[in-house]
């Protein structure tokens, strides 16, 4: 059973006895419980269970009680703390000095004993000591006996906790590289210092030959394989051969069935490499049963593997999806071409949403003029400024077909919300196209579908981590919509690229500033060939998470009012938040360095 991290809640109080502290005990502890109730009702772990909070045993009026709370939290896998108070407290005596987890402080906005005074004082102490903390202060004054949490306060508490839980779930896990660098792609030159210093993760490595060894030596569950292969032949049948009809070396139907069996074995083995398998232990493979504690992984594939063996596209698509021969389950995060930076981007998105991710090439910008020229169609509505074609043969979750619905509109939902009918419809909308043997000499299959945007477009966020020499990691964020193309436009666009791959058509939300002055400028400023696309507009959550990890955001289209970073960031400039973000991340350094 997975053990998830928890949020620690610290009720701090004016330590003066003989009347003052006593009068505040009930109100202060009630604030702590109200925050715990809010988070449990608002947030879930990746298995769908409510988030857990741990409250200090007593209110904290001084350093002794702060130490007792710390001792309790150390036993409870606390990944972030929220300090709450309605009153003045002794800042440096009551603050949490833990340096490698995020901290937030909610100072009650009241006039009787205003928590805002403590909030300002303790945030200053955090900044001075180099332990950045998020400040939460409600806009409107509350009465002293008001036990409710205002909407603006609740939003920040939830945003902080969501980010802290993502930080906690990455810590001490691993990124597993299966293979090495794919075709010279920079993101697959895995930077262990980035994972260690910024994410608190270790790196694990196996050669792709490990898959061959396990296939040849039968190091997988043969009973599960038979069940999985039968399921695959029914639910993921080999589709039309769009590329290879009449080509020299075209595979026969028997060859393709053997490749499908091989792809299913790859799927089982890669899952076991990431997560381990008790069944392998029962079969006598004790060493292999342990797995690599991988919360994310990448498969190199091209070209050393794909020039000889079936490609990894089937495995990548299935593992990134939420339904297979074992029914519905949480997805795995597995990056195509071992692009570890896009894998980490997918991981950020997943931990903030509990939904599977689209891995795609940021492939082509189509302007309205270009569409008019080649199709004769004038684009309108969200498409009027053009669109980005996102497509990749590999790790694009099948949950992105648009078959899943929320309020009647296409969505991508956590696995526990996906109905059996929606899961089956995802499969029904997906074809499995034999690989172009000019590119993939060993064969294999790619999932093939088009993301349905619906009448209003499906809200999505595209993000990407990039490494900059001398700076470190930077994060790009683009909120927007997955949209439907007119049928004739789709037919033309699809034939001009790779018609056997899945496609998502994306329109970023424009702000008229910086990289978001046009759809073209978003494409032109994107930092790499890949992007990670998540359901929902989660840019503000990504900005908060990035600040916790000390990763600056170099490009985003999130409204200023939604940005929530530690208070220390404003000490480094308020008129140019993007520049202040770079300075703050440089000043305070990686979370785990």
């Amino acid at each position: 059973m997975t053990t998830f991290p928890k949020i620690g809640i610290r009720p701090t109080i004016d330590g003066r006895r003989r009347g003052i502290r006593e009068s505040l005990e009930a109100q202060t502890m009630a604030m702590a419980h109200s925050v715990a109730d809010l988070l449990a009702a608002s947030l879930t772990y990746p298995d769908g269970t409510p988030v857990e909070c741990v409250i200090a045993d007593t209110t904290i009026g001084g350093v002794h009680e702060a130490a007792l709370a710390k001792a309790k939290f150390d036993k409870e896998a606390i990944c972030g703390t929220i300090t709450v108070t309605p009153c003045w407290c002794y800042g440096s005596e009551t603050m949490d000095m833990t340096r490698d987890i995020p901290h937030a402080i909610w100072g009650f906005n009241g006039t009787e004993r205003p928590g805002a005074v403590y909030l300002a004082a303790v945030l200053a102490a955090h900044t001075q000591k180099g332990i950045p903390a998020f400040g939460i202060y409600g806009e409107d004054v509350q009465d002293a006996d008001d036990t409710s949490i205002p909407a603006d306060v609740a939003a920040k508490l939830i945003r902080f906790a969501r980010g802290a839980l993502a930080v906690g779930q990455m810590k001490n896990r691993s990124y597993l590289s299966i293979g090495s660098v794919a075709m010279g792609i920079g993101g697959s030159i895995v930077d262990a210092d980035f994972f260690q210093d910024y994410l608190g993760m270790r790196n694990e490595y196996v050669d792709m030959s490990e898959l061959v060894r396990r296939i040849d030596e039968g190091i997988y569950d043969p009973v599960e394989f038979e069940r999985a292969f039968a399921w695959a032949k029914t639910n993921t049948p080999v589709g039309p051969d769009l590329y290879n009809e009449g080509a020299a070396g075209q595979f026969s139907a028997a060859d393709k069935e053997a490749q499908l069996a091989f792809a299913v074995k790859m799927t089982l083995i890669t899952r076991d490499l990431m997560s381990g398998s008790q069944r392998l232990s029962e079969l006598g493979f004790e060493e292999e049963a342990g797995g690599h504690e991988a919360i994310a992984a990448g498969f190199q594939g091209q070209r050393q593997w794909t020039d000889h063996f079936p490609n990894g596209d089937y495995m990548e698509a299935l593992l990134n999806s939420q339904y297979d021969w074992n029914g519905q389950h949480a997805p795995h995060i597995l990056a195509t071409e071992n692009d570890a930076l896009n894998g980490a981007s997918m991981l950020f998105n997943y931990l903030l949403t509990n939904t599977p991710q689209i891995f795609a090439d940021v492939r082509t910008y189509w302007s309205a003029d270009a569409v008019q020229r080649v199709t004769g169609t004038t684009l309108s509505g969200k498409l009027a400024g053009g669109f980005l074609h996102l497509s990749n043969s590999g790790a694009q979750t099948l949950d992105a077909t648009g078959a899943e619905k929320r309020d009647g509109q296409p969505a991508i939902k956590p696995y526990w919300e996906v109905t059996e009918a929606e899961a089956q419809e995802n499969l029904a909308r997906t074809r499995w196209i034999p690989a172009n043997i000019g590119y993939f000499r060993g064969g294999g299959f790619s999932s093939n579908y088009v993301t349905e945007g619906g009448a209003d477009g499906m809200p999505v966020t595209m993000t990407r981590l990039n490494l900059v020499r001398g700076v470190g990691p930077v994060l790009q964020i683009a909120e927007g919509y997955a949209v439907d193309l007119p049928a004739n436009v789709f037919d033309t666009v699809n034939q001009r690229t790779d018609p056997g791959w899945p496609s998502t058509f994306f329109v970023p939300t424009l702000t008229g500033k910086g990289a978001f002055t046009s759809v073209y400028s978003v494409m032109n400023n994107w930092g790499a060939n890949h992007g990670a696309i998540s359901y929902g507009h989660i840019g503000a959550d990504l900005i908060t998470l990035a600040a916790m990890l000390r990763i600056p955001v170099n490009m985003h289209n999130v409204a200023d009012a939604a940005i929530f970073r530690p208070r220390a960031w404003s000490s480094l400039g308020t008129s140019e938040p993007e520049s202040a973000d770079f300075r703050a991340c440089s000043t305070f350094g990686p979370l785990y360095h």
Side-chain angles (χ1 to χ4, degrees):
M1 180 178 177
T2 302
T3 300
F4 293 111
K6 304 168 186 175
I7 299 294
I9 303 180
R10 309 175 68 256
T12 57
I13 200 166
D14 190 327
R16 288 172 285 195
R17 300 280 184 174
R18 302 183 185 181
I20 294 177
R21 176 169 181 159
E22 291 81 357
S23 69
L24 296 164
E25 288 280 2
Q27 182 184 5
T28 305
M29 192 58 80
M31 285 181 69
H33 283 280
S34 67
V35 171
D37 292 343
L38 170 71
L39 299 183
S42 305
L43 299 173
T44 55
Y45 291 119
D47 65 354
T49 57
V51 161
E52 295 183 36
C53 297
V54 176
I55 301 173
D57 291 331
T58 67
T59 55
I60 299 168
V63 67
H64 174 64
E65 288 151 333
L68 292 175
K70 173 71 163 56
K72 180 177 184 177
F73 291 170
D74 285 346
K75 299 175 182 178
E76 294 280 0
I78 296 301
C79 62
T81 64
I82 299 175
T83 297
V84 301
T85 189
C87 60
W88 167 253
C89 315
Y90 298 166
S92 63
E93 296 181 20
T94 59
M95 66 186 285
D96 188 342
M97 295 283 287
T98 310
R99 303 189 70 89
D100 62 352
I101 62 173
H103 305 289
I105 299 131
W106 173 27
F108 185 81
N109 185 357
T111 58
E112 289 82 0
R113 294 182 184 274
V117 178
Y118 169 70
L119 176 63
V122 76
L123 287 173
H126 272 276
T127 300
Q128 186 172 333
K129 293 176 181 293
I131 309 173
F134 292 77
I136 302 173
Y137 180 57
E139 185 173 346
D140 296 317
V141 171
Q142 294 179 257
D143 296 332
D145 59 355
D146 186 351
T147 58
S148 67
I149 301 178
D152 61 330
V153 171
K156 289 181 176 180
L157 289 168
I158 292 169
R159 179 154 291 147
F160 170 83
R162 187 181 284 120
L165 289 161
V167 171
Q169 289 176 77
M170 289 185 284
K171 187 176 183 180
N172 296 324
R173 301 296 300 279
S174 62
Y175 178 88
L176 173 64
S177 296
I178 304 174
S180 184
V181 180
M183 301 182 296
I185 293 172
S188 61
I189 304 171
V190 179
D191 189 309
D193 288 343
F194 161 69
F195 279 95
Q196 177 179 317
D197 292 351
Y198 286 89
L199 308 186
M201 293 172 58
R202 70 172 70 214
N203 293 84
E204 291 283 287
Y205 311 87
V206 297
D207 191 84
M208 290 182 290
S209 63
E210 176 65 5
L211 272 72
V212 180
R213 182 182 80 88
R214 292 194 184 201
I215 289 173
D216 288 350
E217 298 183 17
I219 306 175
Y220 56 86
D221 183 349
V223 175
E224 184 180 8
F225 166 71
E226 293 299 333
R227 177 163 48 86
F229 187 40
W231 179 92
K233 288 190 288 185
T234 299
N235 293 279
T236 60
V238 175
D241 199 329
L242 302 180
Y243 306 104
N244 308 308
E245 291 294 341
Q250 180 185 356
F251 294 111
S252 68
D255 291 333
K256 292 172 185 176
E257 181 165 330
Q259 289 173 16
L260 181 60
F262 192 91
V264 171
K265 291 177 182 178
M266 289 175 66
T267 305
L268 294 173
I269 289 167
T270 297
R271 181 200 64 192
D272 293 346
L273 282 167
M274 291 180 69
S275 304
S277 168
Q278 179 58 35
R279 179 68 175 136
L280 290 183
S281 180
E282 295 168 2
L283 293 169
F285 303 111
E286 192 69 32
E287 180 180 356
E288 292 86 351
H292 289 268
E293 286 295 314
I295 195 172
F299 179 69
Q300 176 194 333
Q302 298 187 71
R303 289 184 40 210
Q304 286 76 10
W305 179 271
T306 57
D307 279 359
H308 183 68
F309 294 109
N311 63 26
D313 293 2
Y314 184 93
M315 165 189 73
E316 292 162 2
L318 259 290
L319 286 176
N320 276 286
S321 300
Q322 301 182 122
Y323 189 78
D324 60 18
W325 48 87
N326 291 319
Q328 287 167 228
H329 54 75
H332 292 76
I333 300 300
L334 179 62
T336 296
E337 294 157 351
N338 195 28
D339 186 344
L341 291 177
N342 215 53
S345 305
M346 294 167 72
L347 181 59
F348 287 4
N349 291 349
Y350 169 62
L351 293 176
L352 292 171
T353 65
N354 294 329
T355 59
Q357 300 298 305
I358 297 170
F359 179 115
D361 284 346
V362 185
R363 196 166 189 83
T364 311
Y365 163 67
W366 278 90
S367 69
D369 288 345
V371 171
Q372 172 69 36
R373 178 177 62 82
V374 301
T375 70
T377 298
T378 301
L379 298 178
S380 60
K382 283 187 170 67
L383 290 165
F387 58 86
L388 303 184
H389 186 186
L390 310 178
S391 181
N392 189 283
S393 63
Q396 190 154 328
T397 176
L398 305 189
D399 292 80
T401 69
E404 298 166 19
K405 296 293 192 290
R406 184 164 281 154
D407 298 325
Q409 297 300 309
I412 303 175
K413 301 192 292 191
Y415 78 89
W416 61 88
E417 293 183 14
V418 178
T419 68
E420 177 72 18
E422 288 172 332
Q424 289 295 332
E425 181 63 18
N426 282 330
L427 292 168
R429 292 188 183 193
T430 305
R431 301 187 301 175
W432 293 92
I433 305 301
N436 183 337
I437 58 176
Y439 288 104
F440 299 108
R441 299 171 189 170
F445 310 94
S446 176
S447 61
N448 175 235
Y449 64 82
V450 181
T451 300
E452 177 191 349
D456 299 321
M458 181 197 295
V460 294
T461 302
M462 183 167 73
T463 191
R464 169 73 192 191
L465 276 161
N466 297 296
L467 289 178
V468 180
R469 185 173 179 86
V471 176
V474 298
L475 186 68
Q476 297 176 287
I477 301 166
E479 293 184 343
Y481 295 88
V483 294
D484 298 328
L485 300 187
N488 67 309
V489 174
F490 169 75
D491 289 341
T492 299
V493 168
N494 196 46
Q495 290 302 318
R496 287 177 72 118
T497 178
D498 200 310
W501 291 359
S503 288
T504 303
F505 298 100
F506 174 61
V507 175
T509 300
L510 303 180
T511 64
K513 297 187 298 183
F516 293 91
T517 56
S518 68
V519 178
Y520 169 79
S521 65
V522 174
M523 175 80 173
N524 200 39
N525 282 281
W526 205 249
N529 54 312
H530 294 147
I533 299 91
S534 182
Y535 175 72
H537 288 160
I538 63 168
D541 289 333
L542 284 164
I543 288 172
T544 293
L545 173 60
M548 291 175 174
L549 300 170
R550 320 287 165 69
I551 297 173
V553 178
N554 69 298
M555 169 179 160
H556 73 83
N557 56 349
V558 177
D560 290 346
I563 296 173
F564 185 39
R565 290 180 170 124
R567 184 66 58 84
W569 267 234
S570 63
S571 297
L572 294 159
T574 58
S575 64
E576 296 180 350
E578 187 174 287
S579 297
D581 185 30
F582 272 82
R583 288 192 294 274
C585 292
S586 175
T587 298
F588 295 112
L591 182 60
Y592 300 105
H593 186 61

